[in-house]
Amino acid sequence: MPSSYDRLAELVDPASTVLLTVECQQGVLGPDSALPELAHEARASGALANIARLVAAAHDTGVQVIHAIAERRPDGRGANHNARLFRAAERLPVQQLSGTAAVRVAPPIEVAEEDLVVRRLHGLSPIQGTDVDPLLRNLGCRTLVVTGVSANVAIPNAVFDAVNRGYTAVVPADAIAGVPSEYTPAMVRNTLALVATVATTDEVLGCLKRPRRRV
């Protein structure tokens, strides 16, 4: 019987895997974050460093990387106003405005020339209503590795949307972050584990770097 690692390795085949980073932007995870508690948790937990490790490995192994960025126009045109979260975001001292440093991918994550950056002006999900799904289909994606923030909102949205569209979702649990710190493992255990394959960053890295068997 194959081990859980062998099953993971079958899922994380570089030829059909895409790595998605969710809202890993300077205005969210950088030193001048609009959400300092979330930024601190992403750094203190090691999640941001693990995302950077996964992105670097993806670049080395030819796995496509997509960076999903949430932003808004200075005039707010097209943005949602139908939830408390959106209204609170409008009052934050740092705004995720298109074309500003706030919506650039946050270090230490490196963006390669072959990476795709998908920007959205609305909603909660990096997949629903964005270019991500058609890009994944055109790339021949079967497995989507989901990383980033937040475990409270955007990450579960991404996982549910991926599964609903027929992709297999893999979540490196130590490469996502939310607040408070104890919420993330509880959400992974009680929600994401029901619909996604939960792994660690090291396990996913091992799969990416594992020699493929010749058929």
Side-chain angles (χ1 to χ4, degrees), residues 184-206:
T184 300
M187 187 275 299
V188 170
R189 182 173 61 252
N190 296 303
T191 301
L192 295 188
L194 302 178
V195 295
T197 297
V198 177
T200 66
T201 293
D202 285 341
E203 287 171 339
V204 174
L205 289 173

Side-chain angles (χ1 to χ4, degrees), residues 38-204:
L38 178 59
H40 172 77
E41 179 60 28
R43 292 177 181 277
S45 68
L48 182 57
N50 284 333
I51 297 165
R53 293 171 64 209
L54 287 164
V55 169
H59 292 160
D60 289 342
T61 56
V63 169
Q64 181 66 55
V65 178
I66 298 179
H67 304 282
I69 302 295
E71 59 184 48
R72 58 185 284 121
R73 288 167 50 110
D75 60 10
R77 193 174 296 271
N80 288 66
H81 305 281
N82 57 335
R84 177 182 170 190
L85 177 65
F86 300 123
R87 295 191 293 272
E90 293 173 0
R91 299 191 295 271
L92 292 173
V94 178
Q95 294 291 305
Q96 314 299 317
L97 299 181
S98 301
T100 67
V103 296
R104 296 175 188 160
V105 175
I109 300 169
E110 295 187 358
V111 180
E113 185 177 355
E114 63 269 21
D115 292 1
L116 297 170
V117 180
V118 176
R119 302 180 181 278
R120 78 178 195 275
L121 295 171
H122 60 85
L124 298 170
S125 172
I127 296 179
Q128 171 66 33
T130 75
D131 288 338
V132 170
D133 183 34
L135 290 173
L136 293 177
R137 296 196 182 280
N138 289 345
L139 291 163
C141 176
R142 292 202 302 260
T143 298
L144 185 65
V145 179
V146 180
T147 67
V149 295
S150 73
N152 305 75
V153 178
I155 294 299
N157 264 269
V159 171
F160 294 150
D161 285 347
V163 172
N164 283 334
R165 285 161 175 77
Y167 304 105
T168 297
V170 171
V171 179
D174 53 355
I176 65 172
V179 289
S181 58
E182 62 269 19
Y183 176 76
T184 300
M187 187 275 299
V188 170
R189 182 173 61 252
N190 296 303
T191 301
L192 295 188
L194 302 178
V195 295
T197 297
V198 177
T200 66
T201 293
D202 285 341
E203 287 171 339
V204 174

